[in-house]
Amino acid sequence: MVRMTVLASGSKGNSTVVSSARTRILVDAGLSCRELFKRMQVAGEDPRTLDAILVTHEHVDHVQGLAVTARKLGIPVYFTEATHRAWARWMTPRKRVTYADWLEQRRQQAAAELSASAEVVDEVAEDAIQEAAAEELAAPDCNSPEPEDDAPLKVVADPARLPGVEYFTAGEAFCVGDIAVTPFTLPHDAIDPVGFVFEAEGIRVGVATDLGYMPAHVEQRLKRCDVLMLESNHDLDMLRDGPYPWSVKQRVMSRVGHLSNDAAAKFLEEGYDGQAAYVVLAHLSESNNMPELARLAAERALRDRMNLLGNRLLLATQQAPLESITL
């Protein structure tokens, strides 16, 4: 038995559970840990049974709850190396200092050093030596200074700390438990975005969202899928007339943006092989799309292909989990 449960899909958060009889994978963690657990319980999924988290890319609507969820469950996270680096930088932003501020800090430091007496300097140096020795004895692997006296060791939390990290490369298959995973590159404005095909027990599940257009290699990867999750992000007219700044509209419509209803429909009409028992339209924009428009475009694309009448067309939403698909 293979099951897919879309917990959330949209610009405010994305997360999906793909499971076999023995393995459960969370694809992206774009909601808070609390909300993810809540939605899993509503959908009949037990968070404690998750074996791993796989990340498509580092945008916040796909990683918002990643660190907390992974730490609470004690499970590894699978990234491309570039995505992990980008996510870690986002989690630990550096404070920016202007050149003028840096010069002032240096001036104040120099003035303080000049005004200090030799006696005070000696005392500070002796304290530093003793403190370093205590640190080496008590915690040789710790980079933080040892606190004075018997105070408890102060640990500075690392927001990017994870129980385990595993790297994969787009185009190279790997396994998580008994689920074979094939990642493939997507055209999107992230550092190294990917889609996935999951295969277990003879069932194939394809996930392709956050892509600006449908390249030939993605069409090829999505063939022979039993379940296909496909982006249908925006209606072009609604996007053009909508509230976004023009620069954002250009980004969304670009070849590294998001798939429109028309683009998704074109794929379903011309590039889709019709093998899936379920097609799930996903990542619908709340500002620039309507479920009725996305569904209508997809249905029109499929209506003249009699061999596709067995397909079941579903729409994933931002507000609530989609009913689980089991094959």
Side-chain angles (χ1 to χ4, degrees), residues 167-218:
Y167 289 143
F168 63 82
T169 302
E172 298 182 7
F174 62 97
C175 290
V176 179
D178 64 339
I179 299 179
V181 184
T182 303
F184 51 89
T185 297
L186 294 178
H188 191 53
D189 59 351
I191 193 69
D192 192 15
V194 297
F196 295 112
V197 171
F198 302 95
E199 189 166 1
E201 304 173 31
I203 301 296
R204 285 169 55 88
V205 176
V207 177
T209 67
D210 296 78
L211 65 165
Y213 72 103
M214 182 63 70
H217 78 274
V218 175

Side-chain angles (χ1 to χ4, degrees), residues 54 157 217 228 231 245 268:
L54 272 60
H217 78 274
L228 174 59
E231 179 170 53
L268 291 175

Side-chain angles (χ1 to χ4, degrees), residues 14 38 56 90-91 94 114 128 174 214 239 259 270 306:
N14 298 270
K38 177 182 175 181
T56 59
W90 174 72
M91 289 292 291
R94 295 187 176 186
L114 288 173
F174 62 97
M214 182 63 70
L239 177 61
L259 213 62
E270 300 175 3
M306 297 301 292

Side-chain angles (χ1 to χ4, degrees), residues 3-8 16-17 39 42-45 227 278 280 312 314-317 320-326:
R3 182 164 65 178
M4 182 178 83
T5 305
V6 183
L7 302 175
T16 299
V17 179
R39 294 199 184 196
V42 168
E45 301 278 0
V227 181
Y278 294 89
V280 181
R312 187 171 177 186
L314 305 174
L315 272 71
T317 70
L322 188 65
E323 184 177 350
S324 297
I325 297 170
T326 304

Side-chain angles (χ1 to χ4, degrees), residues 2 5 33 36 40 46 64 67 70 90-91 113 125 138 144 149 152 166 218 221-222 237-238 252 269 285 298 316 325:
V2 173
T5 305
C33 178
L36 282 172
M40 288 188 70
D46 185 352
Q64 180 182 348
W90 174 72
M91 289 292 291
E113 290 174 353
S144 301
D149 303 325
E166 299 287 345
V218 175
R221 291 294 187 186
L222 297 180
D237 290 334
M238 287 187 66
V252 172
E269 185 173 7
S285 169
I325 297 170

